[in-house]
Amino acid sequence: MGGGTIHVLYVDSGPPSAGDISRRLESARESLRVTTVDSGSVDALSTELADCVVCDCALSDPSAAELLEAVREEDTEVPLVLFTDDVGGRTADESIPSFVDAYVPKQGEGRDHERLLGRIEDLVSRHRSETNYREVFEKAAVAMSVRDPETGRFLDVNERYCELTGYSRGELIGRTSEEVGGEHAGYTADRAHELLRQTIEEGSQTVEWVNERRDGTSVRVQATLKPAEIDGQTRVLVSLHDVTDQREREADLERKNDLFERTQRIGHIGGWELDVETDELRWTDEVRRILGVPPDFDPDPDGVVEWFHPDDQPTVREAFSRSVIEGEPYDIEARVTTDDGDTRWVRIRADPQTTGDGQRRIRGTVRDITDRKRREELLHELHHRTRELIRAETPTEIAHIAVETAEETLGLPLSGIHLDDGDGTLRAAAVTDAVREHVGENPDYDRSSTDHGDELAWEVFESGESRLIEDIDTNGDLDIDSAIRSGLVYPLGDHGVFITSSPDPEQFGEEEQAFAEMLAATTTAALDRAKREQRYDAIFNQTFQFTGLTQPDGTLTEANDTALTFVDATREEVTGKPLWETPWFQYDDDTRQLARDAVERARAGGFFRGELPIVGGDGEEIITDFSLRPVTDETGQVIMLVPEGRDITELKEREAELERKNEQLEEFASVVSHDLRNPLAVASGHLELALEEYDDDNLEYVKEAHDRMESLIDDLLALARQGTSVDERRVVDLEATVRRSWRTVETGDATLRVASNGSFEADPSRLGQLFENLFRNAVEYAGNAPTVTVGVLDDGDGFYVEDDGPGIPPERRDRVFEAGHTTSETGTGFGLRIVERIATAHGWTIVVTEGADGGARFEVTGVEMRVDGKTV
């Protein structure tokens, strides 16, 4: 099996026989490691490193229950197997604690270790698969609510809780269990309130509960209540796990077990007695019936052994001899050949006795166990098939194995698995050849069909209830034109149905139903596992990120396909190694040390994240955003670590390129500031001297050109040094900022009006530049004595600046924010570009439209405004 080495803790409470079993187990599998311990003091047991615990103890031993409970208390999750003598009957089965995961009886055939090995592998495989999938990908999907312990009201619920109950969050918040949970016997609102208060007083607890969904249906849940401090208040955090299906399956399993016990008790017991002194042998009629001889048959003691199978005769002869000579009792199983040539299995018990007058005799029983042996062989074969089902990867493969099992193992030649295709059809995924011979094709069942066969299949699928048809001809609600007379239909969860039938009526008794139901249940479990594995694979292996799983000490247990492909490695090559020794962390010593440090931090419950370089199998070097996250159980214990890596090479290259461009831009700004201003200052100085000496209009034109060049330089510097983001913000007042900016601008006869006020977060300096440039634009383009109005937008999403000038034509509005765009002889064309850059740096959007009086209106949106102390 996959998943690496299996560590077995073998706890022996009886005679020192476990060593033989341990050696046989380890020799059967290289991947198996067995540690054998004497139970001794149960307080000294430790299952920390065990994948499975086997308890070798006799049910009759009073300390057996104490030993089993001690192992289970030590670890509630590790699979627990009871390996003991099969004493048979109801008493043995009822003595097995419910928390034991598997019961393997000793049969003394030299094959005990094979059956024990099979159960260990199945339990560990299932436990590992469910743990990965549950802890990594299903742990967060829990229905949760926050409750007020005093009133019982819902204070908060998550999406899973809404999905579970059918109520929306709005329907639940502020209401009590009495208002939304319904009333059920034993599960009342008063009891719910009592549990909430009890949790605060006594601590966390787990109970089973029945909730009523919004549609009136009931759901059984396992509720875990924990006290929690939320927003300074003592609350109760309630986590719900839907156990409705689980309880129904448990009820079904209990019913199946009861049915199986009753089938085991079918049979009769015959008696016999041997007078040792006279060698006289007497049989009851039941013994004669078992052996198929007439009621008047007179047994011969010397010829009794000849009734047994040649391979079993030595065992019978030796047991009988010890009983006669040494007075030892015996209890053996052997095959006999009946008078008509049939072979039957019998269980023979002998009890030597001495009468009051000193006479010796042996009394015993003979029980026909042929059916039991056949069932054991059937169960053994079903167990073998179950392992095949568990290993199967696809629904189609599972269906073929299940149908083959029904035909070859259970003797059900007319069988088929039909799976829901999602479009209203239960399609034949696998059917036996006999089905095709009877039907002529692979039968599908249409949801919209009025045919009774289709309706029956869909009824079982949708209801989840199996159906037994003893005789179609006498069944009034079925009108099916078919050679089939009897049949069984079992639901396969949400996957489809299993159908088996017969051309004869009443062909499915209790035993046939029990085994068919077992097969259906096993097939359902295999389909569920395949679905989980497909979902797990879709999440785990189809992502572009590097993802894996490690033990708390950093030992890698799983890596996804993306990570393996990058370093050109197989799972076998990397799993089982410490994280820092895997190929991804071999770039240099610093990288390996970083991995060690990350494991230590995550192992202690912390989260690690950092950047590190790795080299792929083809020599490609990339930079990864690496993180290591701990996963904890309900007690807060770290049970695994999740390493993840994301390729950020391109991002880092873009950041480097941006840094280079920023440096170039800064260099440009310096050139503009220094290399252009200096010669311009020299030219302006000489111009001032010339104007003092000459009165020439041409010199005035030169002065205007110098002023124009100075404005261009100022605007170019401002534009070049406007960043793409804002580092620091604080709350600013709109009106105060506007009036301060107005005073720094040459506004002439223009008038400022603040229509409404509000506050918001911004960089005060850059916000002031935004308003200054908008005001200059209005004064320059709006004509003589314009009125400039500033206020909060009606929907509160930002602010606006508008004038009462001629406005901007619609065809030019898309161009006003372009660098260098201007219609003025004195404008530089960079003012509105600067405005747009400042707005973008804050995460805002600016557009130009028409004002109330026809002028230009600039609207800045995406601003979280507060008006009168309230966020709009």
Side-chain angles (χ1 to χ4, degrees):
M1 63 177 286
T5 301
I6 297 177
H7 296 273
V8 176
L9 179 64
Y10 194 104
V11 184
D12 187 13
S13 66
S17 61
D20 182 55
I21 295 295
S22 300
R23 288 191 296 273
R24 292 188 181 186
L25 287 174
E26 286 194 314
S27 64
R29 291 285 186 279
E30 291 185 0
S31 59
L32 201 68
R33 298 291 181 270
V34 182
T35 301
T36 303
V37 298
D38 188 337
S39 63
S41 172
V42 295
D43 296 333
L45 292 176
S46 175
T47 63
E48 180 179 358
L49 299 179
D51 296 306
C52 182
V53 178
V54 177
C55 284
D56 183 344
C57 57
L59 290 176
S60 58
D61 186 348
S63 64
E66 179 184 1
L67 173 61
L68 293 171
E69 290 176 359
V71 173
R72 178 49 75 216
E73 289 176 2
E74 173 69 18
D75 193 326
T76 60
E77 296 295 331
V78 66
L80 175 59
V81 180
L82 174 60
F83 184 47
T84 184
D85 292 332
D86 178 16
V87 301
R90 176 184 294 274
T91 302
D93 293 332
E94 291 182 346
S95 298
I96 300 171
S98 60
F99 55 75
V100 172
D101 297 291
Y103 161 48
V104 179
K106 296 180 181 178
Q107 296 182 350
E109 302 172 353
R111 293 168 53 191
D112 285 347
H113 72 286
E114 294 180 1
R115 295 183 294 105
L116 182 59
L117 175 61
R119 294 313 303 271
I120 291 172
E121 290 182 330
D122 287 345
L123 288 171
V124 172
S125 175
R126 188 181 303 113
H127 181 66
R128 287 178 174 177
S129 175
E130 291 176 355
T131 299
N132 283 346
Y133 178 73
R134 181 174 62 256
E135 294 295 338
V136 177
F137 303 104
E138 293 184 346
K139 190 176 181 66
V142 176
M144 302 182 71
S145 67
V146 178
R147 306 289 290 274
D148 186 330
E150 296 300 325
T151 65
R153 297 189 181 280
F154 288 90
L155 302 178
D156 200 2
V157 295
N158 67 359
E159 184 177 352
R160 290 291 297 153
Y161 192 96
C162 296
E163 293 175 357
L164 180 66
T165 62
Y167 288 96
S168 68
R169 187 171 183 274
E171 291 174 317
L172 290 170
I173 301 301
R175 304 177 74 181
T176 66
S177 298
E178 185 176 9
E179 295 174 298
V180 297
E183 293 285 337
H184 298 270
Y187 306 100
T188 64
D190 290 341
R191 174 59 178 154
H193 295 173
E194 180 184 346
L195 288 173
L196 294 173
R197 291 190 291 269
Q198 197 176 72
T199 299
I200 297 300
E201 296 171 359
E202 301 177 7
S204 302
Q205 58 180 319
T206 299
V207 299
E208 283 207 7
W209 198 260
V210 175
N211 275 3
E212 185 174 291
R213 294 187 179 97
R214 194 177 188 279
D215 60 5
T217 59
S218 296
V219 55
R220 182 172 289 274
V221 298
Q222 184 180 69
T224 300
L225 297 85
K226 295 183 179 180
E229 290 294 323
I230 300 176
D231 295 332
Q233 299 290 325
T234 300
R235 307 300 189 193
V236 177
L237 186 64
V238 183
S239 303
L240 300 185
H241 296 267
D242 187 350
V243 296
T244 306
D245 293 340
Q246 178 184 343
R247 294 297 176 260
E248 290 176 354
R249 287 194 298 270
E250 289 174 354
D252 286 344
L253 182 60
E254 183 177 352
R255 181 170 60 83
K256 287 187 295 184
N257 287 339
D258 178 65
L259 176 61
F260 188 66
E261 287 178 9
R262 286 188 286 114
T263 61
Q264 282 188 317
R265 292 195 299 271
I266 294 175
H268 300 281
I269 300 176
W272 60 274
E273 181 183 82
L274 174 68
D275 188 322
V276 177
E277 305 298 335
T278 64
D279 204 29
E280 182 181 0
L281 178 64
R282 289 180 291 274
W283 286 352
T284 66
D285 289 341
E286 193 62 31
V287 175
R288 294 183 176 88
R289 185 198 63 78
I290 292 172
L291 296 177
V293 296
D296 58 351
F297 180 82
D298 190 15
D300 177 11
D302 294 332
V304 167
V305 175
E306 302 302 323
W307 287 88
F308 291 91
H309 191 281
D311 293 342
D312 297 335
Q313 287 180 10
T315 300
V316 175
R317 186 177 289 109
E318 181 182 357
F320 184 74
S321 176
R322 286 201 307 268
S323 182
V324 172
I325 298 173
E326 302 176 18
E328 290 186 6
Y330 63 83
D331 183 348
I332 60 176
E333 295 178 357
R335 289 161 291 180
V336 296
T337 303
T338 65
D339 199 41
D340 57 3
D342 289 341
T343 298
R344 289 180 175 272
W345 276 95
V346 293
R347 180 179 183 180
I348 312 164
R349 290 182 174 183
D351 181 20
Q353 302 172 352
T354 302
T355 64
D357 57 1
Q359 298 295 313
R360 296 175 57 224
R361 67 187 179 193
I362 302 175
R363 285 182 173 177
T365 61
V366 177
R367 181 178 183 180
D368 186 347
I369 60 171
T370 305
D371 288 343
R372 198 201 79 188
K373 280 292 188 178
R374 183 182 61 82
R375 286 193 296 272
E376 288 179 356
E377 292 176 1
L378 194 58
L379 285 172
H380 178 75
E381 180 61 23
L382 277 177
H383 173 69
H384 172 71
R385 297 283 186 166
T386 297
R387 294 171 64 182
E388 291 184 7
L389 283 170
I390 295 300
R391 293 192 187 103
E393 297 181 352
T394 66
T396 300
E397 184 181 356
I398 292 170
H400 280 284
I401 295 174
V403 168
E404 184 179 281
T405 301
E407 181 177 29
E408 298 180 0
T409 303
L410 301 183
L412 303 173
L414 293 173
S415 299
I417 298 291
H418 306 265
L419 302 180
D420 179 20
D421 69 353
D423 292 325
T425 302
L426 294 171
R427 298 200 180 277
V431 297
T432 60
D433 291 339
V435 170
R436 281 187 285 270
E437 290 174 4
H438 274 74
V439 180
E441 59 183 5
N442 288 343
D444 296 332
Y445 298 99
D446 191 342
R447 179 68 180 85
S448 61
S449 173
T450 58
D451 180 84
H452 283 201
D454 294 67
E455 292 178 347
L456 173 63
W458 275 93
E459 174 193 333
V460 170
F461 175 56
E462 293 180 335
S463 69
E465 299 291 335
S466 61
R467 183 78 179 271
L468 165 66
I469 300 95
E470 295 184 303
D471 190 345
I472 288 178
D473 290 349
T474 60
N475 194 312
D477 62 346
L478 287 177
D479 181 15
I480 300 176
D481 183 15
S482 171
I484 300 301
R485 290 288 301 278
S486 58
L488 287 167
V489 186
Y490 287 100
L492 302 176
D494 59 355
H495 308 287
V497 293
F498 164 56
I499 301 176
T500 186
S501 57
S502 171
D504 300 315
E506 301 181 358
Q507 289 298 298
F508 299 96
E510 289 187 352
E511 182 173 308
E512 288 79 10
Q513 292 179 55
F515 284 116
E517 191 168 357
M518 288 181 186
L519 177 59
T522 302
T523 303
T524 302
L527 290 169
D528 287 342
R529 182 202 54 77
K531 186 176 182 179
R532 288 196 304 269
E533 290 293 337
Q534 288 176 345
R535 189 180 303 161
Y536 175 83
D537 182 71
I539 297 173
F540 190 72
N541 283 320
Q542 305 306 317
T543 176
F544 288 105
Q545 292 193 157
F546 303 154
T547 305
L549 299 173
T550 80
Q551 296 176 1
D553 64 357
T555 301
L556 188 69
T557 59
E558 183 60 281
N560 71 348
D561 292 344
T562 302
L564 293 171
T565 300
F566 183 76
V567 294
D568 193 21
T570 66
R571 280 186 177 81
E572 292 72 20
E573 291 173 340
V574 298
T575 53
K577 294 182 178 180
L579 193 64
W580 52 87
E581 293 182 6
T582 58
W584 299 279
F585 299 91
Q586 303 311 305
Y587 184 82
D588 54 23
D589 290 340
D590 290 341
T591 303
R592 285 186 287 274
Q593 186 59 46
L594 181 145
R596 283 178 177 269
D597 295 342
V599 168
E600 289 303 314
R601 181 183 298 182
R603 187 178 187 177
F607 175 76
F608 179 87
R609 184 175 184 180
E611 295 179 2
L612 75 157
I614 64 175
V615 179
D618 59 356
E620 178 188 1
E621 180 179 328
I622 66 171
I623 304 298
T624 61
D625 178 4
F626 171 71
S627 65
L628 194 61
R629 174 174 58 87
V631 177
T632 60
D633 59 17
E634 62 275 5
T635 67
Q637 182 72 27
V638 175
I639 57 176
M640 67 174 58
L641 309 178
V642 181
E644 293 181 304
R646 181 168 60 92
D647 184 355
I648 59 171
T649 307
E650 292 186 4
L651 176 62
K652 301 301 291 185
E653 290 175 350
R654 288 196 298 270
E655 290 178 353
E657 179 64 22
L658 181 60
E659 183 66 27
R660 287 193 297 272
K661 289 184 178 179
N662 286 339
E663 292 175 356
Q664 293 172 357
L665 192 58
E666 182 62 31
E667 183 179 350
F668 165 74
S670 298
V671 170
V672 170
S673 176
H674 182 270
D675 294 354
L676 292 183
R677 283 189 187 277
N678 285 347
L680 182 59
V682 172
S684 297
H686 286 287
L687 178 61
E688 290 297 329
L689 294 175
L691 285 172
E692 292 176 2
E693 185 175 351
Y694 302 103
D695 184 11
D696 188 340
D697 291 341
N698 290 323
L699 294 178
E700 289 294 335
Y701 290 133
V702 174
K703 185 177 184 305
E704 290 177 3
H706 284 180
D707 293 340
R708 170 74 169 160
M709 292 173 66
E710 187 71 31
S711 296
L712 280 170
I713 291 172
D714 289 340
D715 284 350
L716 280 171
L717 283 173
L719 183 62
R721 288 171 173 164
Q722 291 297 326
T724 58
S725 62
V726 173
D727 294 329
E728 294 185 7
R729 304 186 189 208
R730 66 169 183 256
V731 177
V732 298
D733 182 84
L734 177 62
E735 181 173 3
T737 302
V738 166
R739 295 196 181 281
R740 186 166 51 250
S741 299
W742 182 265
R743 290 193 296 270
T744 64
V745 178
E746 292 292 338
T747 57
D749 296 330
T751 301
L752 173 66
R753 186 175 75 90
V754 180
S756 54
N757 191 26
S759 61
F760 53 95
E761 290 188 353
D763 182 324
S765 175
R766 298 181 71 176
L767 180 64
Q769 287 181 291
L770 181 145
F771 282 119
E772 289 170 7
N773 280 280
L774 287 176
F775 293 157
R776 290 192 188 98
N777 184 77
V779 170
E780 184 172 354
Y781 293 98
N784 295 327
T787 296
V788 180
T789 304
V790 181
V792 178
L793 294 172
D794 292 340
D795 60 4
D797 189 37
F799 55 84
Y800 68 90
V801 176
E802 71 174 42
D803 58 57
D804 55 359
I808 301 174
E811 64 272 11
R812 285 186 44 235
R813 291 173 186 169
D814 292 339
R815 300 180 57 202
V816 295
F817 297 112
E818 295 178 0
H821 177 77
T822 180
T823 59
S824 169
E825 294 181 359
T826 60
T828 65
F830 292 111
L832 292 181
R833 178 60 172 172
I834 294 172
V835 169
E836 192 265 345
R837 290 286 294 275
I838 295 173
T840 301
H842 281 81
W844 305 334
T845 302
I846 184 169
V847 296
V848 61
T849 182
E850 185 176 341
D853 298 322
R857 177 183 172 101
F858 292 88
E859 295 182 350
V860 180
T861 58
V863 185
E864 293 187 7
M865 300 291 300
R866 293 182 62 84
V867 178
D868 297 329
K870 298 180 180 179
T871 301
V872 181

